[in-house]
Amino acid sequence: MRKHNFSPGPATLPDVVFQQAAAALLDFNQSGLSVAEISHRAPEFTAIIEEATSLVRELYQLPDYFEVLWLPGGASSQLAVAPMNLLGANDYMAIVDTGFWAQRSIDAAKEVAQVHVLAPSGDTKNNRIPKNWTLPANAKYLHVVSNETIEGLQYHQYPDVAIPLVADMTSDFLSKPLDMDRFGIIFASAQKNFGIAGITCVLVNTKVLPENTGRVIPTIWNYRTHIEHQSLYHTVPTFPVYVALLMLRWIKEQGGLLEMQRRSEAKAQLIYDEIDRNPLFVGIAAKEDRSVLNACFRGISPEIDEQFLAYLTENKVVGIKGYHVVGGFRASMYNGMPLESVAYLVELMKNFKPQS
Ligand SMILES: Cc1ncc(COP(=O)(O)O)c(C=O)c1O
């Protein structure tokens, strides 16, 4: 029997996607070959990557001046690669310090350019999104972590600024429609909302990508290299791209991004209603900034946390322990997480009887 996997990533995918991926790993479209042994330059793979790209375009209704890139590795690399492509070494970006992944982005960007950190003192750190800040005039773009996976914080409205947004959407990519013109770059690892570990999808607004920032960008890190070669400058991780294609088809069949948004909101409402109702638990993030993808909560004592975790494990719920700096629990509910699993978790929260 499959477990209920609330892992923050790599995360669960729909059964049908795992089944299709498993079948293609053995025999791709009755070709007598595994999908994993097809050349990244073969026509079969070209068809896969082109369909995946056109589905991302269709789902987001991307204007044609956006490019879709499939790059190896995780979003962590983009924390340095995005500023390297957008800024000269003495240029500034600004970033709202929303939590763990904002801090990682600050550290990575400081290695290649200049950074204004926007998080005025007085804002309670890491349980809400700081909103009272002033954008310095010399910032070329504003980096946002659209969903802070560890603290369970999400922008429900992006900051209203006149410069482009560069968004780390690793934990909420393809979970709702977006107004694309506000963004310069969007990037997301596949392993949460649309696939397995190994690749990152990067959307590049070519109107925002500078021709020349005055720095030498190593060829392999230059977005223009990958735009020119349509992500095939080097061997893209082919199987993860295939799984992303299966997920993109699934998302489209289910009704697209509005339907993903409706489902995410329904799952979030179910669990947050229980967190707020149940006297044994408290929510961690400020209500107005709660993430619909990662619901963070804790028991009212360390003993409750310990007992509830054991109870969940007995009942086949896994991947739900909070990140150690936050503690408690984190229920991650990406596109592949069925509402039924969230309802099951809520039933366990209702039925849980701590021993004194
Ligand atoms: C918001 C966010 N950004 C970046 C990353 C880094 O992704 P990766 O581990 O795939 O490099 C993660 C991973 O969990 C994340 O949640």
Side-chain angles (χ1 to χ4, degrees):
M1 193 195 126
R2 265 183 71 67
K3 292 184 173 169
H4 300 270
N5 183 8
F6 287 88
S7 164
T12 196
L13 300 179
D15 282 349
V16 59
V17 168
F18 280 135
Q19 283 154 7
Q20 290 167 347
L25 202 49
L26 293 175
D27 186 2
F28 175 59
N29 284 351
Q30 287 142 13
S31 62
L33 294 172
S34 163
V35 70
E37 64 182 311
I38 291 173
S39 163
H40 62 299
R41 303 200 186 281
E44 292 84 349
F45 185 74
T46 308
I48 290 171
I49 198 164
E50 284 180 354
E51 186 184 345
T53 300
S54 73
L55 280 169
V56 171
R57 289 195 165 285
E58 181 183 338
L59 288 166
Y60 270 131
Q61 299 185 0
L62 276 187
D64 52 5
Y65 45 86
F66 270 82
E67 296 284 343
V68 177
L69 303 179
W70 304 94
L71 300 181
S76 299
S77 56
Q78 299 308 310
L79 306 184
V81 172
M84 213 189 279
N85 276 265
L86 295 174
L87 302 174
N90 296 319
D91 291 337
Y92 275 86
M93 57 97 117
I95 174 160
V96 188
D97 185 0
T98 40
F100 183 95
W101 288 106
Q103 284 146 26
R104 278 275 172 99
S105 312
I106 292 165
D107 293 345
K110 277 185 177 165
E111 289 175 351
V112 296
Q114 308 301 315
V115 181
H116 291 296
V117 179
L118 310 181
S121 56
D123 259 307
T124 316
K125 221 167 176 317
N126 295 353
N127 80 339
R128 67 178 65 243
I129 293 189
K131 297 180 190 86
N132 302 319
W133 39 260
T134 310
L135 188 68
N138 64 351
K140 298 229 157 158
Y141 69 82
L142 179 66
H143 179 105
V144 289
V145 182
S146 57
N147 186 75
E148 281 282 5
T149 321
I150 286 179
E151 293 84 355
L153 295 170
Q154 187 177 25
Y155 279 99
H156 298 298
Q157 226 173 349
Y158 287 108
D160 188 11
V161 289
I163 52 176
L165 298 173
V166 168
D168 175 356
M169 285 197 189
T170 291
S171 43
D172 63 358
F173 195 59
L174 293 168
S175 69
K176 60 183 174 191
L178 293 172
D179 174 3
M180 281 295 164
D181 271 326
R182 304 203 50 200
F183 296 93
I185 306 279
I186 292 175
F187 57 84
S189 306
Q191 32 95 359
K192 301 183 194 293
N193 269 304
F194 67 105
I196 58 172
I199 49 164
T200 293
C201 186
V202 184
L203 310 184
V204 181
N205 182 341
T206 56
K207 284 192 180 171
V208 168
L209 189 65
E211 283 291 339
N212 181 5
T213 60
R215 84 158 78 229
V216 176
I217 308 171
T219 308
I220 191 68
W221 302 127
N222 195 327
Y223 287 143
R224 291 191 187 279
T225 307
H226 301 289
I227 292 171
E228 188 189 330
H229 292 268
Q230 295 289 290
S231 305
L232 295 176
Y233 175 73
H234 50 178
T235 316
V236 68
T238 51
F239 186 60
V241 172
Y242 182 65
V243 180
L245 169 61
L246 297 176
M247 261 313 277
L248 287 159
R249 283 182 185 156
W250 181 87
I251 291 170
K252 183 179 168 183
E253 277 160 25
Q254 301 302 304
L257 299 188
L258 272 174
E259 177 62 13
M260 293 302 110
Q261 180 174 25
R262 191 196 65 73
R263 290 183 190 186
S264 292
E265 285 168 1
K267 289 180 269 186
Q269 173 142 25
L270 206 55
I271 190 160
Y272 284 123
D273 281 354
E274 180 59 19
I275 291 168
D276 293 340
R277 183 208 65 82
N278 194 320
L280 293 174
F281 300 106
V282 283
I284 293 177
K287 281 191 182 173
E288 70 273 19
D289 297 326
R290 280 173 165 175
S291 164
V292 299
L293 289 314
N294 309 96
C296 293
F297 60 102
R298 57 172 75 98
I300 51 172
S301 70
E303 294 72 36
I304 300 270
D305 277 355
E306 205 178 310
Q307 290 182 31
F308 187 55
L309 186 63
Y311 179 66
L312 292 177
T313 310
E314 270 165 41
N315 285 286
K316 298 194 165 20
V317 170
V318 297
I320 195 168
K321 197 168 186 303
Y323 191 70
H324 63 93
V325 292
V326 176
F329 301 90
R330 167 178 44 169
S332 298
M333 307 169 291
Y334 304 122
N335 286 340
M337 167 62 64
L339 180 74
E340 293 70 30
S341 285
V342 181
Y344 174 78
L345 171 62
V346 166
E347 272 313 295
L348 293 176
M349 291 169 81
K350 287 190 201 302
N351 295 340
F352 171 58
K353 302 271 181 304
Q355 315 288 313
S356 49

Short mmCIF file of all heavy atoms in Angstrom, two decimals, residues 113-146:
data_model
loop_
_atom_site.label_atom_id
_atom_site.label_comp_id
_atom_site.label_asym_id
_atom_site.label_seq_id
_atom_site.Cartn_x
_atom_site.Cartn_y
_atom_site.Cartn_z
N ALA A 113 27.63 39.70 -7.21
CA ALA A 113 27.19 41.09 -7.46
C ALA A 113 26.89 41.76 -6.12
O ALA A 113 27.32 41.27 -5.07
CB ALA A 113 25.96 41.08 -8.37
N GLN A 114 26.17 42.87 -6.17
CA GLN A 114 25.87 43.64 -4.95
C GLN A 114 24.40 43.43 -4.57
O GLN A 114 23.55 43.32 -5.45
CB GLN A 114 26.14 45.13 -5.20
CG GLN A 114 27.52 45.43 -5.76
CD GLN A 114 28.62 44.94 -4.83
OE1 GLN A 114 28.56 45.15 -3.62
NE2 GLN A 114 29.61 44.26 -5.39
N VAL A 115 24.16 43.42 -3.27
CA VAL A 115 22.82 43.03 -2.80
C VAL A 115 22.29 44.02 -1.76
O VAL A 115 22.97 44.33 -0.79
CB VAL A 115 22.87 41.62 -2.15
CG1 VAL A 115 21.49 41.18 -1.67
CG2 VAL A 115 23.45 40.60 -3.12
N HIS A 116 21.06 44.50 -1.96
CA HIS A 116 20.35 45.23 -0.91
C HIS A 116 19.39 44.25 -0.25
O HIS A 116 18.54 43.67 -0.95
CB HIS A 116 19.47 46.35 -1.49
CG HIS A 116 20.23 47.49 -2.09
ND1 HIS A 116 21.04 48.31 -1.34
CD2 HIS A 116 20.26 47.98 -3.36
CE1 HIS A 116 21.54 49.27 -2.13
NE2 HIS A 116 21.10 49.08 -3.36
N VAL A 117 19.51 44.08 1.04
CA VAL A 117 18.57 43.18 1.73
C VAL A 117 17.44 44.01 2.32
O VAL A 117 17.68 44.94 3.08
CB VAL A 117 19.30 42.39 2.84
CG1 VAL A 117 18.31 41.46 3.57
CG2 VAL A 117 20.45 41.60 2.26
N LEU A 118 16.21 43.69 1.91
CA LEU A 118 15.06 44.46 2.37
C LEU A 118 14.32 43.69 3.45
O LEU A 118 13.60 42.75 3.17
CB LEU A 118 14.09 44.70 1.21
CG LEU A 118 14.70 45.26 -0.09
CD1 LEU A 118 13.62 45.45 -1.12
CD2 LEU A 118 15.42 46.57 0.19
N ALA A 119 14.53 44.07 4.68
CA ALA A 119 13.79 43.42 5.78
C ALA A 119 13.98 44.29 7.00
O ALA A 119 14.84 44.04 7.83
CB ALA A 119 14.32 42.03 6.02
N PRO A 120 13.18 45.33 7.11
CA PRO A 120 13.41 46.29 8.20
C PRO A 120 13.24 45.64 9.57
O PRO A 120 12.42 44.74 9.74
CB PRO A 120 12.33 47.35 7.97
CG PRO A 120 11.33 46.72 7.08
CD PRO A 120 12.00 45.62 6.33
N SER A 121 14.01 46.09 10.54
CA SER A 121 13.86 45.54 11.87
C SER A 121 12.45 45.88 12.35
O SER A 121 11.86 46.88 11.94
CB SER A 121 14.89 46.13 12.81
OG SER A 121 14.76 47.52 12.79
N GLY A 122 11.88 45.05 13.20
CA GLY A 122 10.50 45.28 13.62
C GLY A 122 9.59 44.25 12.99
O GLY A 122 8.59 43.85 13.58
N ASP A 123 9.92 43.81 11.80
CA ASP A 123 9.14 42.72 11.21
C ASP A 123 9.56 41.43 11.89
O ASP A 123 10.76 41.17 12.01
CB ASP A 123 9.45 42.60 9.71
CG ASP A 123 8.37 43.23 8.87
OD1 ASP A 123 7.21 42.86 9.07
OD2 ASP A 123 8.70 44.07 8.01
N THR A 124 8.61 40.63 12.32
CA THR A 124 8.97 39.38 12.99
C THR A 124 9.58 38.47 11.95
O THR A 124 8.95 38.15 10.97
CB THR A 124 7.74 38.71 13.60
OG1 THR A 124 7.00 39.73 14.23
CG2 THR A 124 8.11 37.64 14.58
N LYS A 125 10.81 38.08 12.19
CA LYS A 125 11.54 37.38 11.15
C LYS A 125 10.97 35.97 10.92
O LYS A 125 10.74 35.23 11.86
CB LYS A 125 13.00 37.28 11.55
CG LYS A 125 13.92 37.53 10.38
CD LYS A 125 15.33 37.75 10.86
CE LYS A 125 16.27 37.91 9.74
NZ LYS A 125 16.25 37.12 8.63
N ASN A 126 10.77 35.68 9.67
CA ASN A 126 10.51 34.30 9.24
C ASN A 126 9.17 33.69 9.64
O ASN A 126 8.96 32.51 9.44
CB ASN A 126 11.63 33.37 9.67
CG ASN A 126 12.93 33.72 8.98
OD1 ASN A 126 12.93 34.58 8.10
ND2 ASN A 126 14.00 33.06 9.36
N ASN A 127 8.24 34.45 10.25
CA ASN A 127 6.90 33.88 10.30
C ASN A 127 5.93 34.78 9.54
O ASN A 127 4.74 34.58 9.57
CB ASN A 127 6.42 33.59 11.72
CG ASN A 127 5.94 34.83 12.41
OD1 ASN A 127 6.28 35.93 12.02
ND2 ASN A 127 5.13 34.64 13.43
N ARG A 128 6.48 35.79 8.87
CA ARG A 128 5.66 36.60 7.98
C ARG A 128 6.54 37.19 6.87
O ARG A 128 7.75 37.23 6.99
CB ARG A 128 4.91 37.69 8.72
CG ARG A 128 5.80 38.77 9.32
CD ARG A 128 4.96 39.85 10.00
NE ARG A 128 4.24 39.32 11.16
CZ ARG A 128 2.91 39.28 11.25
NH1 ARG A 128 2.15 39.70 10.26
NH2 ARG A 128 2.34 38.82 12.34
N ILE A 129 5.89 37.63 5.82
CA ILE A 129 6.62 38.24 4.71
C ILE A 129 6.76 39.73 4.99
O ILE A 129 5.74 40.41 5.15
CB ILE A 129 5.89 37.97 3.39
CG1 ILE A 129 5.98 36.46 3.11
CG2 ILE A 129 6.46 38.82 2.26
CD1 ILE A 129 5.53 36.00 1.78
N PRO A 130 8.00 40.24 5.10
CA PRO A 130 8.16 41.67 5.37
C PRO A 130 7.56 42.50 4.22
O PRO A 130 7.80 42.21 3.05
CB PRO A 130 9.68 41.87 5.42
CG PRO A 130 10.27 40.52 5.56
CD PRO A 130 9.30 39.55 4.96
N LYS A 131 6.75 43.51 4.60
CA LYS A 131 6.09 44.31 3.54
C LYS A 131 6.44 45.78 3.61
O LYS A 131 6.20 46.52 2.67
CB LYS A 131 4.58 44.12 3.62
CG LYS A 131 4.21 42.66 3.35
CD LYS A 131 2.74 42.39 3.41
CE LYS A 131 2.46 40.90 3.37
NZ LYS A 131 2.49 40.24 4.66
N ASN A 132 7.00 46.19 4.76
CA ASN A 132 7.31 47.63 4.90
C ASN A 132 8.78 47.87 4.60
O ASN A 132 9.60 47.81 5.51
CB ASN A 132 6.99 48.11 6.32
CG ASN A 132 5.55 47.84 6.64
OD1 ASN A 132 4.68 48.05 5.79
ND2 ASN A 132 5.29 47.33 7.83
N TRP A 133 9.08 48.09 3.35
CA TRP A 133 10.46 48.39 2.99
C TRP A 133 10.44 49.37 1.84
O TRP A 133 9.41 49.54 1.18
CB TRP A 133 11.24 47.13 2.60
CG TRP A 133 10.48 46.11 1.80
CD1 TRP A 133 9.91 44.97 2.28
CD2 TRP A 133 10.19 46.16 0.40
NE1 TRP A 133 9.28 44.30 1.26
CE2 TRP A 133 9.44 45.00 0.08
CE3 TRP A 133 10.48 47.05 -0.63
CZ2 TRP A 133 8.98 44.72 -1.20
CZ3 TRP A 133 10.03 46.79 -1.92
CH2 TRP A 133 9.29 45.62 -2.18
N THR A 134 11.56 50.00 1.64
CA THR A 134 11.68 50.95 0.53
C THR A 134 12.70 50.40 -0.44
O THR A 134 13.78 49.97 -0.04
CB THR A 134 12.18 52.32 1.05
OG1 THR A 134 11.35 52.66 2.16
CG2 THR A 134 12.11 53.39 -0.01
N LEU A 135 12.35 50.42 -1.68
CA LEU A 135 13.25 49.88 -2.70
C LEU A 135 14.34 50.90 -3.03
O LEU A 135 14.02 52.02 -3.45
CB LEU A 135 12.42 49.56 -3.95
CG LEU A 135 13.14 48.80 -5.05
CD1 LEU A 135 13.46 47.38 -4.61
CD2 LEU A 135 12.28 48.79 -6.31
N PRO A 136 15.61 50.55 -2.87
CA PRO A 136 16.67 51.51 -3.24
C PRO A 136 16.64 51.80 -4.74
O PRO A 136 16.37 50.91 -5.55
CB PRO A 136 17.97 50.79 -2.85
CG PRO A 136 17.54 49.71 -1.92
CD PRO A 136 16.15 49.31 -2.31
N ALA A 137 16.93 53.05 -5.09
CA ALA A 137 16.77 53.49 -6.49
C ALA A 137 17.70 52.76 -7.44
O ALA A 137 17.41 52.64 -8.63
CB ALA A 137 17.01 54.99 -6.58
N ASN A 138 18.83 52.25 -6.94
CA ASN A 138 19.78 51.64 -7.89
C ASN A 138 19.59 50.12 -8.05
O ASN A 138 20.40 49.48 -8.71
CB ASN A 138 21.23 51.96 -7.48
CG ASN A 138 21.60 51.36 -6.14
OD1 ASN A 138 20.73 50.84 -5.42
ND2 ASN A 138 22.88 51.41 -5.78
N ALA A 139 18.52 49.58 -7.47
CA ALA A 139 18.31 48.13 -7.64
C ALA A 139 17.82 47.84 -9.05
O ALA A 139 16.86 48.45 -9.53
CB ALA A 139 17.29 47.63 -6.62
N LYS A 140 18.47 46.88 -9.72
CA LYS A 140 18.09 46.58 -11.11
C LYS A 140 16.93 45.60 -11.17
O LYS A 140 16.20 45.54 -12.15
CB LYS A 140 19.28 45.98 -11.86
CG LYS A 140 20.44 46.95 -11.95
CD LYS A 140 20.96 47.04 -13.36
CE LYS A 140 21.67 48.33 -13.52
NZ LYS A 140 22.61 48.49 -14.51
N TYR A 141 16.81 44.78 -10.15
CA TYR A 141 15.65 43.88 -10.07
C TYR A 141 15.40 43.51 -8.62
O TYR A 141 16.27 43.73 -7.76
CB TYR A 141 15.82 42.64 -10.96
CG TYR A 141 16.87 41.63 -10.53
CD1 TYR A 141 16.61 40.67 -9.56
CD2 TYR A 141 18.13 41.62 -11.12
CE1 TYR A 141 17.57 39.73 -9.18
CE2 TYR A 141 19.10 40.69 -10.76
CZ TYR A 141 18.80 39.74 -9.78
OH TYR A 141 19.75 38.83 -9.40
N LEU A 142 14.22 42.96 -8.39
CA LEU A 142 13.87 42.52 -7.04
C LEU A 142 13.74 40.99 -7.04
O LEU A 142 12.94 40.44 -7.81
CB LEU A 142 12.54 43.15 -6.61
CG LEU A 142 12.05 42.75 -5.21
CD1 LEU A 142 12.99 43.28 -4.12
CD2 LEU A 142 10.63 43.27 -4.97
N HIS A 143 14.56 40.34 -6.22
CA HIS A 143 14.47 38.88 -6.11
C HIS A 143 13.43 38.54 -5.05
O HIS A 143 13.46 39.07 -3.94
CB HIS A 143 15.85 38.33 -5.70
CG HIS A 143 15.88 36.84 -5.54
ND1 HIS A 143 16.45 35.99 -6.46
CD2 HIS A 143 15.40 36.04 -4.56
CE1 HIS A 143 16.32 34.74 -6.05
NE2 HIS A 143 15.69 34.74 -4.90
N VAL A 144 12.51 37.66 -5.39
CA VAL A 144 11.53 37.19 -4.40
C VAL A 144 11.55 35.66 -4.36
O VAL A 144 11.73 35.01 -5.38
CB VAL A 144 10.09 37.66 -4.71
CG1 VAL A 144 9.92 39.14 -4.48
CG2 VAL A 144 9.64 37.27 -6.11
N VAL A 145 11.38 35.14 -3.17
CA VAL A 145 11.15 33.69 -3.04
C VAL A 145 9.63 33.57 -2.93
O VAL A 145 9.05 33.93 -1.91
CB VAL A 145 11.84 33.12 -1.79
CG1 VAL A 145 11.61 31.61 -1.70
CG2 VAL A 145 13.32 33.45 -1.82
N SER A 146 9.00 33.14 -4.01
CA SER A 146 7.54 33.23 -4.05
C SER A 146 6.89 32.37 -2.98
O SER A 146 5.83 32.71 -2.47
CB SER A 146 7.02 32.83 -5.43
OG SER A 146 7.46 31.53 -5.73
#
